[in-house]
Amino acid sequence: MLSFLFKRRAFQGGVHPEDRKQATSHLPIQTLPLPERLYVPVQQHIGAAAQPRVQTGQKVLKGEMIATGSGPVSAAVHAPTSGTVVAVEPHPAPHPSGLPVQTIVIEPDGDDRWVDEPEPEHALNLEPEVIAQRVAEAGVVGMGGATFPAAIKLNLGSRHTIDTLVINGSECEPYLTCDDRLMRERTQEVIDGVRIMRHALGARHTLIVLEDNKPEALAALQEHLYEMDHLEAISVPTRYPMGSEKHMIKAVTGREIPAGKLGADIGVIVHNVGTAYAVHRAVRMRRPLVSRIVTVGGGAVQRPANLQVPLGTRVEELLAYCGGTRETPARLLMGGPMMGQIMPHAQVPVVKGTNGVIALTAAEINIDDPMPCIRCGRCVAACPCGLMPLEMASRIRSEDMDGAAAYGLMDCVACGSCSYVCPSHIPLVQYFQHAKGVLADRREQQRRQEELKELAQQRRARQEAEAKAKAEAAARKKAEREAKKRAQQAKAKEKPAPAKDNEKAEA
Amino acid sequence: MTHPAKLILDDYRRLFRDGIWDNNVVMAQMLALCPLLAVTGTATNGLGMGLATTFVMVAAALLISMLRGIITPEVRIPVFILLIAALVTLVDLVMNAYLYEMHKALGLFIPLIVTNCAILGRAESFASRQPVHRAVVDGLAMGVGFTLILVVLGAVREIPGSGTLFADARLLLGDGFAWMELTLIPEYRGFLLMILPPGAFLALGFILAGKRVLDTRLANRAAAVKMAQA
Amino acid sequence: MYAAIVVLTAMGLLLGYSLGMAAKYLKVEKDPLVDEIEDMLPGTNCGQCGLPGCSSAAQALAAHEAPVTLCPPGGKALAQQLADKLSVSVDLSGMEEEAPAFARIKEDQCNGCTRCYKVCATDAIMGANRQIHTVFTEACNGCGKCVEVCPTNGLVLVPETPTLRTWRWSKPEAR
Amino acid sequence: MTEFMLLLLGTALVNNVVLVQFLGLCPFMGVSNKLDTALSMGLATTFVLTLASVAGWLLEYFVLAPLDLGFLRILSFILVIAAVVQFTELVIRKTSAALHRVLGIFLPLITTNCAVLGVALLNIQEGHGFLQSVTFGFGAALGFTLVMVIFAGLRERLAVNNVPAAFAGAPIAFIVAGLLSLGFMGFAGLDFA
Amino acid sequence: MTTTTPVSGPHTHAPGGVTTQMGWVILALLPATAFGVYLFGWPALNLLLITVLAAIAFEVISLRIAKRPVTPFLMDGSALLTGLLLALTLPPWAPWWIAVLGAGFAIVVGKHVFGGLGQNLFNPAMLARVALLVSFPLEMTTWVTPQPMFAEGSPGFIEGLAITFGLAAIPDAMTGATVLGETQTGFSRDLGLSETLPGVYDPMQQALGFIPASMGEGSALLLLAGGLVLMARRIISWEIPVAMLGTLAGLATIFMLIDPERFAGPGLHLISGGAMLAAFFIATDPVTSPSTMRGRLIFGAGCGLLIYVIRTWGGYPEGIAFAIILMNGLAPLIDHYLRPRTYGRTRGGKPLEPKASAPAAPVTEKRP
Amino acid sequence: MTTVAQPSYRQRVGYHSALLGGIALMASAVLVITDMQTRDTIAERQAEDFRQTLEQVIPASVHDNQPQQDTYQLQTADGSSLEIYRARQEGRVSAVAFQVTGRGYAGPIEILMGVDAEGEVLGVRVLRHKETPGLGDKIEVARDPWILSFDGLSLGDPPRDDWAVKKDGGIFDQFTGATITPRVVVNAVRDGLELFEQHRSTLLQRGDESAPSALAPPPALLSPEEPTS
Ligand SMILES: Cc1cc2nc3c(=O)[nH]c(=O)nc-3n(C[C@H](O)[C@H](O)[C@H](O)COP(=O)(O)O)c2cc1C
Ligand SMILES: Cc1cc2nc3c(=O)[nH]c(=O)nc-3n(C[C@H](O)[C@H](O)[C@H](O)COP(=O)(O)O)c2cc1C
Ligand SMILES: Cc1cc2nc3c(=O)[nH]c(=O)nc-3n(C[C@H](O)[C@H](O)[C@H](O)COP(=O)(O)O)c2cc1C
Ligand SMILES: Cc1cc2nc3c(=O)[nH]c(=O)nc-3n(C[C@H](O)[C@H](O)[C@H](O)CO)c2cc1C
Ligand code: SF4
Ligand code: SF4
Ligand code: SF4
Ligand code: SF4
Ligand code: FES
């Protein structure tokens, strides 16, 4: 009778948010017409911002590199269409703060002309390093939301033994259907991208993993896969956050990534299906990443849709294309409702990591004013990382960040399962984000202090050395003077008592 | 110029203010809790304990301050303890002989004046560094402060607990003090919790909270006055 | 009755003897705490704590003569560390987590007197005599000494401009 | 054997030194902010308390009683306790530097923990035999450690809770101690017969 | 379309909140409460209303003093629930001042000095019950045999008021002792269970509630039903009730097998003394119980153990309230030491050893 | 205080030893004197205390000796011994007092009872108990006169079966809400009377024979099994 309580689960914790995908899952991908202006930020990825290499007034062609990656973790940015650069200036970033970020503003000329027309390549003959390099040149970043430069992950095969490549098609966030549509409509391209990545990594097994709420996509994939390929598509139970790398690995391989390590350390690499598609475009078609598929949804949107959008298009254009909003959205999000970011306004551009633009009504949000924690433990049960969110939050509330860290703050993936279930509607994730920020500030400050200490010590050493040198110089001078004097005296009076002089010198 | 006598008086006033309120053994230093909670079933017991402790405190302060010149750090603590223990034994014997009933009521807690942390603490931090007169006044102030809180806690527990105040005061102070024994609520069966151990903790908790509220009020008022003057 | 006197005196003698021996043979070495604390302090000897430098600050802290919140450059984090080290409990909620500030030279007012250059403990100011000086922000700890000495009021402390990298989530309001 | 087990349980739970007998309250209140410290304090006290019970018993029945020196009991006990504490500290310092770092600062505090003297005196007052004294001392220390650790756990929770300003700190700690002792009243009259 | 302060995700929420939870608990208690009111008549209804209203009044006063918003905190229903649970554990004909004093202790000392909802360390209702028990043992152990409402001989509305407000004494003929009280009295007369139990203990009557008891002690079956509803709705977890009742029954069985004259069996222990109420509604109070699964198992087992020990060997005839307060005291320790295992770490909190390239992933075989 | 320079002799172990020893010497001297001053008074007080309790169960009118000094160890049937205080009128034992114990609600209840030569209760007092204040503590004479209801009763009056609280069909009042405590006291007193009855001859005749003396005879001389002529 109690067997339902003991059901073995793919990973501990997790939640079942209402998935609300039916509004868009049946809608084919439409191409958004070119907007009047494109606002392309130089920072669309994790890591250092790219360096702009165009000037105002310069003409650019579609796919032309307009900013180069700088440093080991960075990604290039390409012109999403042909046109004129009208400004390189700060512009509000697609970020909750709405702070400005360096942005290249392009006025399309309407031709949408590519830089070049290369031949498709026999990608599977290429060396892994070459593949990685092409991916890097194409500015491909992880399309699953983390926007980590994909080339770096594809290069990991050289340093680690990768036995399994997992392609993440779970799309566990409510509302989002862009990956689903991608797998259904561009199945072969996705599979080709997967093959290229597998080749680059040298993985023996490859799994394309879907949640079991996407049977059509699974069928489409399986239709194009054949048995001997060691490449298969499987479905896993629908449970948020199945899409999280750690939990997906646990669910399909039973392995856990040790704290502080990467998937590669246990031989598994996870990539999003969108990334696979982008890799296919980059390596096979030699096309950089200049557009992406975005789900526009949420109760406040007139006509939800799946759109292929040039990067840099402002969110308001997407909404306008979808017939505008029926009511003022209570929250405008980029990404899904669980991990997506709230946008300060609709004038922010779509970037490489934008998988959804979701305009939610108050009823959909369903978040009340927070009450005190009643220690019900639901957050503990929901946390897929085995943390105790309530303890971390109470410590953060009383400013005990170290206490929160001791409770595992740094192991939190910010999935939001805990906040989602909390009956007291406590913004737990925001507490954690805040604390992570404070700790980061502290580390930063500490690092600075170390540096400053070093500097101060150097200065002191220098000053001391100078003082010593000065003193020595003075002593030397004095000695010289004395010697001179003595010589003069000696010269002047040939016969004084020499003992007296000795005494003086000694004193 | 202020008269030296006034200076001394001011100094003593400060010491008393410290002992009774600002740096009260219990309310500020959180020491001497065992006798405090254990014997305050009635205000009378509290008074008895307070008087005994005050005597020991004053005498210990006197002796220790007098001896402070010859005591070395190595044997400081044993010497203090020895002196305090001797004084306590003295009190014990005398009370046993001349205040027999009271002695029965205070029981184990007379000997434990020895380990009353407050006495040793005060000996360490004050008496052993101060001239005799200040040490004695301080001992007295601390003792009075302790006695006051003992009596207050005793009253706070006794009134709701058994409906009386200073019950059996006669046994402590002599028949002349029978008038102190009040029965506030006749035929009252009592809110027993207050005289049981939990009540002791609860009552002290609420007294401390009360002091906190009072202190903030006073501080606010003082700040307001200062603002007004400025 | 003499037994009483004998017994107690004997105990006293014995205890005094053993304590004396203990004190002699088991002397505690110099308190290593001061050094440990000094290591934790920023070490820029900026004097904002009102003490002549970090090592005297460390001594004062070890002797519990100064509050753990004494060092502004160290901020709340240092105060917390110190509190833990000294096992004292402090309420740090009142202590503002001050946004770090940096000195900036108003170029039109700098006359190149080099005074600021000389007081800066971290060599954050660069420039030569009679030339406009600049502050190397990475090395500035915002102590403000240079601001004090500048004869033309040409130095100001400005807070860091927020960027996406330095932006932080605020703490939620709790009811 | 059962007799001693029952005495142990009775001393630790039914007549808990702190919550029922009101002994050792200052360290109970003072050193219970952190769980780890509370545990260390409890262990140090356990050691000293047991040893002091033994020493007190020996002193009483080999020196004080034969010589009819009952009135010197307080004086000699406290001296012996001071010696035991000092001795413990020496031993710990010699044998384990790590242990000394954990327990060291608490040892001097124990001299003025009235539970130590109180239990030694109670042993005599109740006429306990030698083994009984040991059991009683150990049981009392066990009870002390137990409530100390429980209380420290509760206070760690209080520290992150939203206690009103008037009660935060000492007042609420006393109230919690009171409520805990209310719970311990459930053991009153516990009688394994 | 602009948001002033950025808020972090998630931007959606599962249905329900604190009020909903409390509401369900109250709902689940209603059948047993209604039955109790029916069994013990007007005085019981009076007591119930007084306790609940007093609890709410004290809540409002406390919130006012603390200068906190009254409406949201009153609407959460926790004060109502505390009052209701307290009323269910009082002798149904207790005088009004017991109810008021108890509600005051629960809400003020048990809850608001800690900072109100969610901040308290002990179960407010149980604190109040224990404080009343040790302070007013007479009133708190005066039980009546069931006098169903409108039945012959049972007090009418006016008489009910008289009883509650202390104007009329409870007729001796109507008083009785609870089973546990009766067995304890029996032991003091050196009577074994076989002599005391017949006549006072009939499992069926006991389970239904036709016994001298509090409203929450009888009607064990209705309480069980309510508890199962809460479990099914995931408002309470299964761990605490199962562990608590399991431990209690297990211990009772073991000792009964050792000496049936001295130790009552599991049946009596489970259906008397409010074990059901405690297992499903009181020990499960989220605020004062551990928040992890393993913690709750330990907590429940500890409650069961303490209840058995105090009932069997202790001085008080009932153990539940004490056991729960004691385990509440241990809950922070349990939560401190029994944390769940963090992903990627061992139970001790150390990172796992990386299992470099494990053999082929098990699921690859599973292609449909 | 730590920074003050110490004369060198103070750092010697001998100084510490002497200091502590000297202070111990003085302390013990003071205490010895106090002890000598108070020892007798304390003993008197304790004796007086006990005498007053005894007085309550054996009225002064029935004796002319000091019962607290006229003790006798009675060997009871279960092998333990019981201290008996004997009151004498002109050398003849007129009444005895002894202690009985019952297991009350919350622990043992120790009772002192006085019985005259006829087996009639002269007085009963509770010495120590742990019953609940406000409930079981009405057995203290200071709170309730209930305990006086034993005065003048004996085993036959009332009849044996009536030696019980009313709830159990006897004649003694119980307290509302607390039956256990009075039940235990009634049983204990009855048991005490039965004990007296059993050993009556020993208790009374023994006394007749030996001359009244201030000192209790050494127990070795008194062997209760030994028949007396
Ligand atoms: C809570 C959480 C949920 C996630 N959900 C998804 C998801 O639904 N789909 C997805 O592709 N990646 C998801 N990710 C990101 C994955 O962890 C991982 O970064 C990504 O699949 C790696 O592929 P990429 O680098 O190609 O983007 C999620 C991450 C987290 C922390
Ligand atoms: C704090 C408090 C304590 C009380 N304690 C008692 C009590 O111990 N006994 C009692 O009979 N009534 C007690 N009462 C109730 C009132 O005294 C009530 O008026 C009284 O019980 C009515 O008298 P009656 O019960 O004799 O008719 C208490 C009331 C309060 C507010
Ligand atoms: C807290 C508490 C204290 C009690 N104290 C006593 C007591 O001191 N003496 C006593 O006889 N019964 C005491 N009782 C026992 C109950 O009142 C018990 O039900 C009663 O003695 C049984 O007798 P009855 O037949 O009069 O109901 C106490 C009960 C409780 C709950
Ligand atoms: C399942 C459940 C059980 C509860 N049990 C109690 C209880 O036993 N006693 C109580 O005072 N409040 C109880 N509450 C209400 C609430 O948690 C309580 O008022 C808080 O302890 C006050 O901070 C319960 C609430 C829930 C949801
Ligand atoms: S889910 Fe919310 S209310 Fe429940 S324990 Fe977690 S933080 Fe507290
Ligand atoms: S946000 Fe962090 S703490 Fe909350 S459920 Fe996700 S991983 Fe756990
Ligand atoms: S304020 Fe800090 S950095 Fe500056 S001197 Fe003082 S301790 Fe050193
Ligand atoms: S504020 Fe001025 S003196 Fe201080 S570190 Fe910065 S530049 Fe140097
Ligand atoms: S008075 Fe007992 S420990 Fe302080």
Side-chain angles (χ1 to χ4, degrees), chain B residues 30-36 112 115-118, chain D residues 22-28 112-115:
Chain B
M30 295 287 249
L31 292 176
L33 300 176
C34 308
L36 174 74
L112 294 187
T115 44
N116 183 325
C117 321
Chain D
F22 288 127
L23 292 172
L25 280 167
C26 302
F28 175 71
T112 52
N113 178 343
C114 45

Side-chain angles (χ1 to χ4, degrees), chain B residues 189-193 196 202 206, chain E residues 105 109 113 131 134-136 139:
Chain B
R189 229 174 346 70
F191 187 40
L192 275 189
L193 184 69
L196 293 170
L202 291 179
F206 277 95
Chain E
F105 195 87
V109 182
V113 300
V134 301
S135 301
F136 308 105
E139 284 78 8

Side-chain angles (χ1 to χ4, degrees), chain E residues 19-294:
Chain E
T19 311
T20 325
Q21 288 210 20
M22 301 287 171
W24 270 103
V25 181
I26 293 169
L27 214 63
L29 279 170
L30 274 189
T33 314
F35 188 64
V37 167
Y38 161 73
L39 271 189
F40 296 103
W42 288 107
L45 184 60
N46 296 338
L47 187 80
L48 181 70
L49 292 178
I50 292 173
T51 319
V52 169
L53 290 179
I56 291 175
F58 279 113
E59 176 91 2
V60 172
I61 295 169
S62 306
L63 288 169
R64 279 271 155 76
I65 292 177
K67 301 200 177 63
R68 287 151 66 105
V70 172
T71 328
F73 282 108
L74 200 57
M75 290 317 289
D76 69 29
S78 64
L80 180 72
L81 183 51
T82 300
L84 178 61
L85 281 165
L86 175 61
L88 287 180
T89 59
L90 293 178
W93 288 17
W96 66 274
W97 52 267
I98 284 272
V100 173
L101 221 58
F105 195 87
I107 297 292
V108 178
V109 182
K111 183 171 172 188
H112 276 283
V113 300
F114 288 92
L117 179 69
Q119 314 302 304
N120 49 315
L121 300 178
F122 300 94
N123 190 319
M126 288 302 100
L127 282 180
R129 164 136 185 71
V130 167
L132 290 173
L133 178 67
V134 301
S135 301
F136 308 105
L138 174 57
E139 284 78 8
M140 291 298 288
T141 52
T142 306
W143 307 98
V144 289
T145 47
Q147 313 288 331
M149 221 176 221
F150 311 118
E152 209 174 319
S154 72
F157 177 65
I158 303 290
E159 287 161 278
L161 286 181
I163 287 173
T164 306
F165 288 93
L167 305 172
I170 302 175
D172 253 358
M174 289 187 182
T175 61
T178 61
V179 183
L180 291 174
E182 202 72 54
T183 54
Q184 185 148 22
T185 312
F187 291 135
S188 80
R189 298 169 69 186
D190 293 324
L191 300 181
L193 288 179
S194 60
E195 286 158 286
T196 33
L197 283 189
V200 297
Y201 175 60
D202 170 0
M204 208 50 224
Q205 298 284 19
Q206 183 86 21
L208 290 176
F210 290 96
I211 45 162
S214 67
M215 285 187 275
E217 174 173 355
S219 35
L221 291 181
L222 287 175
L223 289 165
L224 177 67
L228 291 178
V229 167
L230 291 186
M231 245 196 227
R233 293 209 56 88
R234 303 288 168 105
I235 286 178
I236 60 175
S237 54
W238 60 271
E239 295 96 352
I240 292 179
V242 169
M244 177 177 145
L245 296 177
T247 311
L248 189 58
L251 284 173
T253 313
I254 294 170
F255 279 94
M256 182 189 67
L257 293 179
I258 293 174
D259 180 1
E261 262 305 288
R262 172 71 182 82
F263 301 105
L268 189 144
H269 273 286
L270 289 190
I271 55 177
S272 64
M276 285 296 163
L277 183 72
F280 289 101
F281 296 91
I282 296 177
T284 50
D285 175 12
V287 178
T288 53
S289 59
S291 49
T292 63
M293 183 171 134
R294 289 193 308 155

Side-chain angles (χ1 to χ4, degrees), chain A residues 375 391 394-395 397-398, chain D residues 156-157 159-162:
Chain A
R375 303 189 60 82
E391 301 287 0
S394 63
R395 275 159 187 77
R397 199 190 54 200
S398 52
Chain D
E156 286 206 344
R157 166 86 43 94
V160 296
N161 273 6
N162 213 355

